[in-house]
Every structure is written in structure tokens, then in C-alpha cells.
Amino acid sequence: PVRGFTSLHILAAGAVQTGAVGPMDSIVVAIDARREEVYVQSFGPNLSLDGTPTICSLEKAAADAPMGPGWIVGSGSALLHGHLSKLGSALAVSWAPDQPDARVLARIAAESEGPGGNPSEGPAALVAPVVPLYLRAPDARIKVIPT
């Protein structure tokens, strides 16, 4: 079976698996997307989805983030925290790893299987083909040269 997990989900799960945040804590994952933007997604207790993955400005990410208490993880956590602190947010920056870890992916994939290892019974049972999720259009453009 094939399952898809975003880098944002893997970072949130890694924060819990390393003990950097508790399993019942709220987590905002922010990856630095450059250009004063972040890839961001919020998770509630037990890594429940609290929002969809998106790319947005730091200001919008701060305005849309839960006010806390909870944790910010990822390579954009310090950037986002700077904007959140201006809003009086109680979210704090975690020491969790800021890069996705394949071991974390393997573990959450295994945990998504149902009882007895039956993937068709698990909470993330495959219901549609897995497709890539690109939140930003590519910067590269094909230049057509007239002949």
C-alpha cells in the first residue's frame, strides 16, 4: 500500500517522537519558504489536523495561527515566532529537528495500518491515488526560442 504524508506532518510527528513536544500539545509547523513566506500547517492533540498545508506570508501565518499554548517547529519557527510574539501568542519555539526524518515517516506509515498490520483497515487507508502536493509554482520557466 502507498500512503502520502507531507513534510509538515513528518516534522510534527518527529517533534512528538523525539519528546520535544508532548502528544497532547498543539503544534504549528513552519518551514522557511524564503521571500518572507513559510509553508505552514497546524496540528492539535495527537497530531490531529487543525488546518491544511499552505504557503503564505509570515504576517498571514501569524494571524491564522492558534494563540497557544503550544509549540512551533521547523526551519521557519524562529521567523514565525517573531511575528507571533507581536500578537501576544503563547506559542514557543521547540528544539525539535527542523528537517524531515525518514525514520519518522516509516513509523507514522506503520502506525497508519489497521489491526494486525492490515493497511485497508487503518485510519489512513488508501482511498485515492497518492499525488504530489506542491504549494508553490516552480520558478523555472521553459523559454521558447522561435526557429
Side-chain angles (χ1 to χ4, degrees):
V2 176
R3 294 198 175 47
F5 297 94
T6 65
S7 299
L8 298 161
H9 187 162
I10 296 167
L11 286 171
V16 172
Q17 287 181 25
T18 60
V21 304
M24 299 306 291
D25 291 341
S26 294
I27 304 170
V28 175
V29 180
I31 298 174
D32 186 357
R34 309 288 186 233
R35 305 177 194 166
E36 295 295 314
E37 294 179 321
V38 286
Y39 299 103
V40 65
Q41 186 172 16
S42 298
F43 298 85
N46 291 316
L47 296 177
S48 60
L49 296 178
D50 223 11
T52 59
T54 189
I55 183 172
C56 60
S57 68
L58 287 162
E59 292 81 15
K60 178 159 177 36
D64 292 348
M67 292 304 285
W71 298 96
I72 314 166
V73 302
S75 62
S77 58
L79 294 169
L80 182 56
H81 186 261
H83 288 272
L84 284 167
S85 61
K86 295 174 192 172
L87 301 175
S89 172
L91 292 171
V93 175
S94 169
W95 55 265
D98 65 358
Q99 296 297 316
D101 186 327
R103 294 171 295 189
V104 173
L105 173 59
R107 185 168 178 185
I108 61 176
E111 289 173 351
S112 72
E113 294 183 351
N118 186 348
S120 64
E121 297 174 7
L126 183 64
V127 294
V130 175
V131 295
L133 174 63
Y134 296 106
L135 298 176
R136 176 186 281 163
D139 290 330
R141 303 282 185 244
I142 297 174
K143 184 175 182 178
V144 178
I145 301 172
T147 56

